Structures are given as structure tokens and as C-alpha cells.
């Protein structure tokens, strides 16, 4: 027989009605000890409920007060800050890249793996590799090759190598170690390290990289605290001290005009305006340069750190001047084409180039960009660095198709830069060339002096080939790139890594310089890989590249 259980009662069971059942009568029949226990339990439950209600009201007010302290009203935020807050509780996916699609891309990825393996074996955690000596070299003390090359690893879908780099950045990137206790170029740190961190953050949306970028950006911001509004030349990140060069108060125009993309992007991803529009930040330095007197848009390669005015008479789109012009166009694009000063300064400079620097060399009729050594003193010298300009002009034409001369100039300059490679026995370009302006001379159009015959694994022509192919669809630019890549493989590849060389004119004696530049992995191999992809992995309406080939997004405001 089933035993009755008195504590389980169905109050909807009508069978109890005839027997006169009630809760009160049931409770009174319980033993005294059980009745006391039930009453005590009920009293404690009611008391706990009252305490909880009171605490909740107080706690909500306290929490609201804390939120108001650390998260100001959405109405007081800039548009990109509001956007960031709206996405805080959403999962934001990074950009995904597939495996290589053709033999040329596979060959480039194999080259990247060869370079990375050598660096990891002999220089891991240090800045760069000396591939002949098989030892590391120290520059910044911040694992430069790791940070500079990590987005290339990610784009090439080199997952194991990417994971190695990410782990190092998360656990070992440290600006307070003794290796960092030195003065280094503010410009180089910005474009290579800050640019690398920002780029890989945008590609992966991994907060590890944003945190490191903020840590670095906060220290670099100290360099902008100047009377002129221009950043100083050097900074000691460990000591948080900035200064000009020891031998001059002048800065180079490229240095002070090529840090704005990165600082502005840091403001956009953090929602903190201080890197972009505060009193001492990127926009102020850009405004200082904009307000200076120019020669048909062209500016000298030096600028005073004290007055902010340009210094000297040398005008060049090579060393010390190049990326100032590059960033004029890219800042206009980065800000959604909403700041006309950037475009106006850039297009005026292109017109100045046409008027003062654009020449033709004989007998091959090669167009090139020379230099001004004074108001009317022209030099037919062109650095390999100038080859960036072809891609830059093609990019400008892409957004202003009515300016057809931009594409014409881009094509002509790309051809000349290719000939700088093709005419050398190694198939590699020297660092500097001179051009023959005498139509009656028997000399070649391209002349190389002994001190200029070295090749530093530079990316500028490959960069322009990337733009030219994806903007025109002409496969000749891919074919030229493949020829150049094979020359790098033949003459600069070492048993471990790659090395710059001293002489491009002698196939049997190139004289390796025992240096593998971080930009060879960050820029040269990346642009080769993107050049050989059948479609543009970084649509020009959505992305720009900083001067170290780190992709950054275009904003609409």
C-alpha cells in the first residue's frame, strides 16, 4: 500500500472538497516543531527579499554613476565613437584570405616562408636578420620584422607563421626593456610598427593588436608636442623623450609628412580624438605643411623643426621627399574625399612635376622625374624610390578619370622604372640612376655610377605594377613583375633568407650586403603576391596602403 505524503498537496484536486480540507486545518494538524520551522523559514525568505530589492535599487544607481564616469553620453561622442560603442557587444569578423591561386603566388609564398624561417631561426625577437652572418641585428628593439611582416603572413594564409608572430606580439612586445632605450626615427617607428599593428588589427579584429597600437601611439604622441606643430625626428620610447637630430634642427619633409595616416587611423579605431584632432596631433602637423609657401605644389626636402617652414632649395621625389606627396593623396582618400586641401595640394604637386621635373631621356625616349638643386638648376638624377609615383598617379586617376594625363604619366614612368631593372645584367635596379638628356649622344638613356649600383630589395616598382595591373587589367605588368621576382630569387636569395646586394651590374659578383630588410617581407613580397592575384584583394574604394604597404581602411567622414 502506497504511503500518503502529507507535504504534497494539489490545491486544484476537487476530491478533497467533500472532506472539508483546507490549508489552515492541514497546518494546525502538524506537530509544533514542524510548524515553528515553517514559520521561521517564511520569515527569513520575506526578509531576504526585502534586502535584495533595496540593494538592487542602490546598486543600479551606483553602476549607472560609474558608467557615466567612464562612458560619456552617446550624444557627446563623435560619429566613429558611437559606431564603436554600438558594436561592442557584437562579434566583428576579420578579413579572410584563401590559399594562393596560381603558380606565381605559390612561388612568392615560398619565398616568404624561406625568409621567415631564416629570421625565426637566427634572429627571432630581434629587429632584422643578417643572413650571411646568420645573426640578428638590433634597431628599435621591438621585433621589427615580426610586427612589420605579420600582415603579409596573414594575407598569404601562412597560419603557423602568423600564430608565431601573434604570440610574440601578445607576450613579448615591450617598450620598457633595455633594448628600446635609445633614440630612433619617429617616422620609421610609425610607418613600420604602428602601421603594422593597425593593419593586422583591421584584418583580424583581434584586440591584442589594438592594445599594442594604443600603447605605442600614446608614446609617439609625445613627439607632436612642439611649438611648430611638426613631430620631432627621434624618440626614445622607453624614456618617453623626443628630440631633433643632434647635428641640425631641420627635419626631412617625408618624415613629418608621413605619419598622419597612422595616427588618424588610431583615433578612428579607439574613438579617442587625441591622435588626430587635438592641439598636438596628426591634423595640426598636416595643416602646418599645407599653409607653407610652395613652388607650384613642390616643396624642399627639409623643414625647420622650430618655425615649421621649409628649408633649403633641393626638391626631390626621392629620398627625404617621396612619401610627403604620397600621403597627400592617401589622406584625401582616407577621410572619404571630404578634405579638399589634401587633393588640391596633391594635384598641384603633380602639375608642378609636369612643369619642373618631367623630362625625357634619349635615345629610348624614357620619361622620368628629376630633381631641382636650386630654383633653376635641374639634375637628371632619379632614385628608385621615385618609382612609387607611377602607382600613386594611377590611383589618383582612378578617382578622377577625366584627368587622363595622370594615367599617361603613370604608364610612362612605370615603363622607365621597368627598364631600370631590365637593362642591368642581373635584372635588378640600382638604387639611383642618371638619365641622358642629349639626343645626339651615343650613351644609353640610363646611366649608373659606381656608388649607386646597389639594390636594397626595395618595393617601389612592384608597388606600382600592382596598381597598374589592377587598374588597367594589362597583364604586361604581371609579366614584368614575374621577371623581377625571378631576378630577386636568382641574385639575392641566400641559403638562409635574402640579402641586399652591392652591385647589380655584375652577375658573378653581386656582393651580398648581409642585410635582410624588414620591408622586403612587409612590402616587396606582399606587393608581388597581390600583383599576381587575379582580382584585387584590397579594393581601392575601401582600402589604402601606408608607405610600408600596410593596408588601412577608408573612412566616410
Amino acid at each position: 500500500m502506497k504511503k500518503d505524503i502529507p507535504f504534497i498537496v494539489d490545491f486544484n484536486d476537487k476530491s478533497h472538497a467533500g472532506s472539508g480540507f483546507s490549508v489552515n486545518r492541514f497546518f494546525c494538524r502538524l506537530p509544533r516543531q514542524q510548524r515553528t520551522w515553517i514559520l521561521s523559514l517564511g520569515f527569513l525568505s520575506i526578509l531576504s527579499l526585502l534586502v535584495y530589492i533595496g540593494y538592487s535599487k542602490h546598486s543600479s544607481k551606483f553602476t549607472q554613476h560609474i558608467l557615466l564616469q567612464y562612458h560619456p553620453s552617446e550624444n557627446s561622442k563623435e560619429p566613429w565613437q558611437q559606431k564603436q560603442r554600438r558594436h561592442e557587444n557584437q562579434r566583428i569578423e576579420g578579413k579572410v584570405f584563401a590559399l594562393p591561386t596560381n603558380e606565381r603566388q605559390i612561388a612568392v609564398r615560398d619565398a616568404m616562408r624561406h625568409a621567415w624561417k631564416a629570421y625565426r631561426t637566427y634572429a627571432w625577437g630581434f629587429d632584422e636578420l643578417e643572413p650571411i652572418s646568420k645573426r640578428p641585428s638590433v634597431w628599435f628593439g621591438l621585433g621589427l620584422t615580426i610586427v612589420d611582416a605579420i600582415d603579409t603572413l596573414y594575407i598569404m594564409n601562412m597560419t603557423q607563421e602568423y600564430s608565431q608572430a601573434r604570440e610574440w606580439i601578445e607576450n613579448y612586445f615591450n617598450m620598457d626593456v633595455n633594448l628600446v632605450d635609445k633614440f630612433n626615427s619617429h617616422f620609421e617607428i610609425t610607418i613600420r610598427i604602428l602601421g603594422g599593428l593597425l593593419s593586422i588589427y583591421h584584418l583580424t579584429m583581434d584586440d591584442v593588436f589594438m592594445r599594442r597600437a594604443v600603447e605605442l601611439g600614446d608614446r609617439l604622441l609625445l613627439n607632436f608636442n612642439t611649438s611648430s606643430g611638426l613631430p620631432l625626428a627621434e624618440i626614445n620610447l622607453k624614456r618617453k623623450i623626443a628630440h631633433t637630430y643632434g647635428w641640425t634642427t631641420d627635419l626631412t619633409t617625408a618624415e613629418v609628412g608621413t605619419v598622419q595616416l597612422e595616427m588618424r587611423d588610431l583615433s578612428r579605431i579607439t574613438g579617442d580624438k587625441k591622435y588626430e584632432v587635438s592641439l598636438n596631433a596628426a591634423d595640426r602637423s598636416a595643416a602646418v605643411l599645407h599653409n607653407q609657401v610652395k613652388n607650384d605644389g613642390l616643396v624642399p626636402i627639409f623643414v625647420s623643426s622650430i618655425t615649421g617652414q621649409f628649408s633649403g632649395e633641393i626638391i626631390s621625389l626621392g629620398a627625404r621627399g617621396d612619401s610627403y606627396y604620397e600621403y597627400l593623396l592617401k589622406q584625401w582618400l582616407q577621410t572619404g574625399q571630404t578634405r579638399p586641401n589634401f587633393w588640391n595640394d596633391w594635384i598641384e604637386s603633380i602639375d608642378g612635376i609636369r612643369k619642373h621635373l618631367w623630362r625625357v631621356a634619349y635615345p629610348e625616349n624614357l620619361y622620368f622625374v628629376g630633381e631641382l638643386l636650386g630654383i633653376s638648376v635641374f639634375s637628371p638624377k632619379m632614385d628608385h624610390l621615385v618609382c612609387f609615383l607611377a602607382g600613386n598617379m594611377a590611383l589618383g586617376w582612378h578617382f578622377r578619370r577625366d584627368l587622363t594625363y595622370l594615367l599617361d604619366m603613370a604608364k610612362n614612368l612605370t615603363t622607365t622604372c621597368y627598364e631600370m631593372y631590365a637593362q642591368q645584367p642581373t635584372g635588378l635596379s640600382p638604387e639611383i640612376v642618371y638619365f641622358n638628356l642629349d639626343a645626339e649622344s651615343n650613351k644609353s638613356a640610363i646611366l649608373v655610377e659606381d656608388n649607386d649600383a646597389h639594390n636594397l630589395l626595395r618595393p617601389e616598382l612592384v608597388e606600382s605594377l600592382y596598381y597598374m595591373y589592377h587598374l588597367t587589367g594589362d597583364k604586361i605588368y604581371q609579366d614584368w613583375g614575374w621577371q623581377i621576382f625571378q631576378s630577386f630569387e636568382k641574385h639575392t636569395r641566400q641559403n638562409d633568407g635574402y640579402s641586399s646586394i652591392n652591385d647589380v651590374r655584375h652577375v658573378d659578383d653581386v656582393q651580398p650586403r648581409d642585410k635582410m630588410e624588414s620591408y622586403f617581407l612587409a612590402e616587396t613580397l606582399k606587393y608581388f603576391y597581390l600583383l599576381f592575384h587575379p582580382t584585387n584583394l584590397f579594393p581601392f574604394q575601401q582600402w589604402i596602403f601606408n608607405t610600408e604597404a600596410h593596408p588601412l581602411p577608408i573612412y566616410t567622414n
Side-chain angles (χ1 to χ4, degrees), residues 321-334:
D322 51 354
S323 48
Y324 159 76
Y325 300 95
E326 174 190 358
Y327 269 35
L328 291 176
L329 175 65
K330 291 182 177 180
Q331 288 186 83
W332 178 67
L333 295 175
Q334 182 190 38

Side-chain angles (χ1 to χ4, degrees), residues 19-56:
S19 62
F21 177 83
S22 71
V23 174
N24 183 52
R25 178 195 255 169
F26 168 76
F27 182 76
C28 291
R29 289 182 177 178
L30 292 175
R32 180 177 180 182
Q33 186 176 5
Q34 290 183 353
R35 283 183 286 162
T36 302
W37 181 80
I38 290 173
L39 288 172
S40 299
L41 183 62
F43 174 76
L44 289 174
S45 298
I46 294 171
L47 182 62
S48 298
L49 181 61
L50 292 173
V51 170
Y52 173 77
I53 292 172
Y55 174 79
S56 296

Side-chain angles (χ1 to χ4, degrees), residues 1 45 52 71 77 82 88 119 139 170 185 227 241 264 313 320 343 349 366 397 427 506 517:
M1 181 177 178
S45 298
Y52 173 77
H71 299 290
K77 289 181 175 291
Q82 297 177 18
E88 279 182 350
Y119 168 77
W139 186 6
E170 180 178 27
S185 167
S227 59
I241 302 173
R264 184 177 296 112
E313 296 183 339
R320 302 185 178 93
W343 169 266
S349 73
L366 297 177
W397 165 79
H506 298 95
E517 302 278 358

Side-chain angles (χ1 to χ4, degrees), residues 199-212:
S199 171
I200 193 60
Y201 169 72
H202 286 294
L203 297 181
T204 65
M205 301 309 295
D206 188 333
D207 285 343
V208 166
F209 304 120
M210 184 200 283
R211 290 198 299 270
R212 291 289 182 253

Side-chain angles (χ1 to χ4, degrees), residues 375-430:
I375 296 177
S376 59
V377 181
F378 178 82
S379 169
K381 167 182 173 287
M382 189 174 90
D383 297 354
H384 182 278
L385 290 167
V386 180
C387 292
F388 89 90
L389 183 61
N392 196 241
M393 290 190 293
L395 183 62
W397 165 79
H398 177 62
F399 291 93
R400 285 291 307 272
R401 295 292 179 108
D402 57 312
L403 303 179
T404 56
Y405 68 89
L406 291 174
L407 183 60
D408 293 338
M409 292 177 70
K411 289 179 177 180
N412 286 329
L413 185 57
T414 302
T415 298
T416 299
C417 289
Y418 166 70
E419 289 296 330
M420 289 166 59
Y421 284 78
Q423 292 188 20
Q424 302 308 314
T426 58
L428 295 174
S429 172

Side-chain angles (χ1 to χ4, degrees), residues 184-451:
N184 273 307
S185 167
H186 171 256
F187 157 74
E188 296 285 0
I189 294 172
T190 300
I191 65 170
R192 298 191 191 212
I193 298 185
L194 181 59
L197 292 170
L198 293 169
S199 171
I200 193 60
Y201 169 72
H202 286 294
L203 297 181
T204 65
M205 301 309 295
D206 188 333
D207 285 343
V208 166
F209 304 120
M210 184 200 283
R211 290 198 299 270
R212 291 289 182 253
V214 169
E215 292 168 7
L216 178 58
D218 283 344
R219 301 197 188 195
L220 290 175
L221 195 59
L222 299 172
N223 251 30
F224 289 86
N225 187 21
T226 63
S227 59
S228 69
L230 299 177
L232 296 178
E234 294 187 315
I235 186 169
N236 185 314
L237 292 172
K238 185 177 189 295
R239 297 175 183 263
K240 303 178 185 178
I241 302 173
H243 66 40
T244 58
Y245 294 120
W247 60 90
T248 179
T249 59
D250 279 351
L251 309 165
T252 73
T253 303
E255 287 177 329
V256 298
T258 317
V259 293
Q260 290 77 14
L261 289 182
E262 296 80 4
M263 298 301 280
R264 184 177 296 112
D265 188 75
L266 187 55
S267 271
R268 301 305 175 99
I269 67 171
T270 62
D272 192 333
K273 296 187 295 184
K274 67 182 180 182
Y275 309 104
E276 179 177 6
V277 298
S278 66
L279 181 60
N280 297 303
D283 278 359
R284 184 187 177 204
S285 63
V288 170
L289 295 173
H290 167 72
N291 290 328
Q292 301 305 312
V293 176
K294 304 175 179 66
N295 178 16
D296 294 322
L298 303 178
V299 299
I301 59 175
F302 294 106
V303 59
S304 170
S305 63
I306 299 173
T307 65
Q309 296 180 344
F310 291 113
S311 174
E313 296 183 339
I314 298 176
I315 292 176
S316 171
L317 274 85
R320 302 185 178 93
D322 51 354
S323 48
Y324 159 76
Y325 300 95
E326 174 190 358
Y327 269 35
L328 291 176
L329 175 65
K330 291 182 177 180
Q331 288 186 83
W332 178 67
L333 295 175
Q334 182 190 38
T335 54
Q337 304 174 37
T338 61
R339 301 189 185 183
N341 283 347
F342 292 133
W343 169 266
N344 293 338
D345 285 353
W346 181 77
I347 198 64
E348 184 184 6
S349 73
I350 299 299
D351 291 339
I353 291 168
R354 296 172 73 193
K355 180 178 179 180
H356 299 287
L357 305 179
W358 191 246
R359 296 285 195 281
V360 62
Y362 302 100
E364 291 98 327
N365 293 325
L366 297 177
Y367 287 88
F368 70 98
V369 178
E371 299 181 350
L372 287 181
L373 305 181
I375 296 177
S376 59
V377 181
F378 178 82
S379 169
K381 167 182 173 287
M382 189 174 90
D383 297 354
H384 182 278
L385 290 167
V386 180
C387 292
F388 89 90
L389 183 61
N392 196 241
M393 290 190 293
L395 183 62
W397 165 79
H398 177 62
F399 291 93
R400 285 291 307 272
R401 295 292 179 108
D402 57 312
L403 303 179
T404 56
Y405 68 89
L406 291 174
L407 183 60
D408 293 338
M409 292 177 70
K411 289 179 177 180
N412 286 329
L413 185 57
T414 302
T415 298
T416 299
C417 289
Y418 166 70
E419 289 296 330
M420 289 166 59
Y421 284 78
Q423 292 188 20
Q424 302 308 314
T426 58
L428 295 174
S429 172
E431 177 72 359
I432 298 169
V433 299
Y434 289 82
F435 290 92
N436 176 29
L437 299 179
D438 185 359
E440 305 300 324
S441 171
N442 293 324
K443 295 180 179 179
S444 171
I446 298 176
L447 309 172
V448 182
E449 297 188 354
D450 290 343
N451 291 334

Side-chain angles (χ1 to χ4, degrees), residues 60-191:
S60 64
K61 290 180 180 179
F62 178 76
T63 303
Q64 188 177 28
H65 172 68
I66 293 296
L67 288 174
L68 287 173
Q69 279 186 316
Y70 289 94
H71 299 290
S73 168
E74 289 294 317
N75 293 331
S76 67
K77 289 181 175 291
E78 296 294 331
W80 63 83
Q81 291 175 289
Q82 297 177 18
K83 179 178 179 181
Q84 183 191 29
R85 296 280 292 140
R86 285 197 295 270
H87 287 295
E88 279 182 350
N89 296 321
Q90 301 176 15
R91 179 176 175 79
I92 303 176
E93 298 292 341
K95 192 172 173 65
V96 178
F97 296 92
L99 292 170
T101 61
N102 56 66
E103 291 183 359
R104 290 178 176 181
Q105 278 195 308
I106 291 171
V108 175
R109 193 172 77 149
D110 287 345
M112 182 68 180
R113 182 171 281 116
H114 179 72
W116 182 262
K117 181 181 178 181
Y119 168 77
R120 180 160 172 77
T121 301
Y122 299 107
W124 185 245
F126 292 91
D127 291 313
E128 292 177 324
L129 168 68
E130 296 176 359
I132 309 299
S133 304
K134 296 180 174 56
R135 64 188 181 189
S137 64
V138 177
W139 186 6
F140 302 142
L142 290 172
L144 171 59
T145 296
I146 297 174
V147 185
D148 212 5
I150 187 172
D151 59 355
T152 306
L153 297 172
Y154 188 79
I155 291 168
M156 293 184 182
N157 203 349
M158 298 173 61
T159 55
Q160 180 181 353
E161 293 85 350
Y162 164 76
S163 296
Q164 295 166 352
R166 184 201 178 280
E167 179 185 12
W168 190 90
I169 292 172
E170 180 178 27
N171 297 317
Y172 301 104
F173 183 89
N174 186 350
M175 291 178 286
D176 294 317
V177 298
N178 289 334
L179 281 178
V180 185
D181 191 5
K182 62 178 73 174
F183 284 93
N184 273 307
S185 167
H186 171 256
F187 157 74
E188 296 285 0
I189 294 172
T190 300
I191 65 170

